[in-house]
Amino acid sequence: MPSDNLLITSEDPVSSGVSSEDDDVGHQKELSLKKDVLSNFESLPDKNKHETFLKDCVDLLLKEAVFHGTDRENKVLDWKSPEELLEIFDFNLNGSPSTHEELKSILKNVVKFSVKTGHPYFVNQLFSSLDPYGLIGQWLTDALNPSVYTYEVSPVFTLMEEVVLKEMRIIVGYKDGKGDGIFCPGGSMANGYAISCARYKFNPNLKETGLHNFPRLVLFTSEDAHYSVKKMASFLGIGTKNVYTIKTDDKGKINVDLLKNEIERVKSEGGVPFMVSATAGTTVLGAFDPINDLADVCEEHNLWLHVDAAWGGGALISEKYKNLMKGIHRADSITWNPHKLLTAPQQCSTLLLKHEGILSGAHSANAAYLFQKDKFYDTSYDTGDKHVQCGRRADVLKFWYMWKAKGTHGLTRHVEKVFDNAEYFTKTIKSKENFKMVLEEPECTNVCFWYVPPSLLGKENEDDYEEKLHKIAPKIKERMMKDGSMMVTYQAQKDWPNFFRIVFQNSALTHDDMMHFIQTIERLGCDL
Ligand code: ABU
């Protein structure tokens, strides 16, 4: 807890170097504790001082966060409102250092009040799970604390990134794995990079001249695409109004005929289309846009085709499911986040490109203090300048290490198991009268559905049915968070009332777990 009692004043024997004659053993102990704590400011591990502390902390994390936090017998979360948490958790920072005992107790509290996203019953987001190999890769990344801009600082990670990105391009189907790629801080940024590359390809002069005297550039995506496409268009000066969102069909896929009409309309109005951003696995419904059809349109109009496969990309690793993204090798760029379907720890996002040189052309700034051209080694390995970031985490290691641990076959088994769970869950709820699907045939492992409580069963034709159904999912969500039993998200979309979106990406889940989810929702909602 707060360590104000350890504040050292100028009168203090430790700082004055004077010890009184009647020091007893207790006082000596106190003094050595104070001395120990006073050296906390030094940023270097000291074997005598830190080895036991670090081992204790790792033990604590293993016990509390890793094993306790992922045990089905335990809660997914210990819900506290912001007011309650501010009251019981010591967030305050003050002038004096804390003891190791205090620091360990703080760690324990951080775990206690955090959501256990590795818990099998955390099915709330497009990420979950706690992969042991990914975890140790993440911890090693932090122990080495590299920044992947130059080979001199990050030799292993520089080469590792190139190997992983090439393997991913091979899986995508780019010829001989050729092209380019980067690790990005999240899928939104990867989509932003794609827009930037597409624009650079459209006219490289823009890098220096900016948008001044440029025509109105327009890009197209579906109404169900991730919101980052609009955000990034705004960030890059294109403007959200120049992102044309095309309606989706009843499966959540972009309507290609409408897209064609819109391209013609924009051209007739003096706009200049330059890009289509398709989605492979939409955020809510998990729909896959028809990539081959979009590639045909892009070829005809000379547009850059980007595929946001941040979520669905993992399915490429399975022969059984890669057909969902037929034609993806025709895309100019692809966002693929291994931290989603493949469960690498957060964050692990990539942008893959078919073309070489565009990333660097669009983003390099040749900072002479960092990317010296007269280094003693081949400076083409100083890959950092193609990123807009300078300092950059090595997100590759955890994923590469997982891949080593499981082999490509293991990653395939993982993907096929999570699809099997999604299919089993779907089949089961379809057979129940109190569950209703949003899409009859979900394509990915996010399944959207309504739970219909007994009070609303058979009342679909009543005027206030949808209004009442709209309130069911939020109430069940509140109850599950308060009892800590599971976490699944809900949303309203299009003109549908609130519905649940459950997401499967933990390959340790079983069909019994699928039944558990169904029974938990029924238990929490049967009286509504
Ligand atoms: N790309 C962010 C996805 C957020 C979510 O639905 O989990």
Side-chain angles (χ1 to χ4, degrees), residues 124-127 187-188 226-227 283 310 337 339-340 489 501 503:
N124 200 70
Q125 304 301 155
L126 298 184
F127 77 93
S188 295
H226 192 254
Y227 64 87
T283 308
N337 288 3
H339 75 233
K340 289 193 158 90
T489 194
R501 179 200 68 174
V503 188

Side-chain angles (χ1 to χ4, degrees), residues 66-67 130-138 401-402 406:
V66 176
F67 294 114
L130 201 167
D131 188 272
Y133 309 104
L135 177 67
I136 205 69
Q138 179 99 294
Y401 198 63
M402 281 174 70
K406 296 162 197 286

